[in-house]
Amino acid sequence: QQLPGQGVVVVGLTEVTVTSKDHTLRLIDAGMRLRTTGSTAMNQGSSRSHCIFTFKTSITGSDGIARRSQTHMVDLAGSERAGRTQA
């Protein structure tokens, strides 16, 4: 849903600040366990849910300038070949 002044808001979304690789990997693992999968004729572990990981990175250089980036990893529950998958 889109809210004035906030942009797009996703109900149930979780945002966590991490400071280590291990913490990041634990969160990814926890998210993967929450996903729903099912068997189709083409794929035994076909995704039945959407999954989006957004990694926001910020670093401040010695010049005092903050640099930020975002990387999005998206897995959408596929249906482009629904007839072939027998889903």
Side-chain angles (χ1 to χ4, degrees), residues 11-69:
V11 176
L13 179 74
T14 302
E15 184 171 331
V16 179
T17 300
V18 297
T19 57
S20 73
K21 177 184 75 170
D22 289 336
H23 188 196
T24 303
L25 293 174
R26 284 194 307 273
L27 289 170
I28 291 171
D29 187 50
M32 295 299 288
R33 284 193 308 270
L34 292 174
R35 297 182 67 216
T36 302
T37 59
S39 179
T40 69
M42 293 180 67
N43 184 350
Q44 292 296 326
S46 180
S47 176
R48 292 284 162 252
S49 59
H50 301 319
C51 179
I52 302 172
F53 289 109
T54 300
F55 297 92
K56 296 178 182 179
T57 305
S58 177
I59 188 168
T60 302
S62 58
D63 55 4
I65 296 175
R67 291 168 178 83
R68 296 183 179 98
S69 70

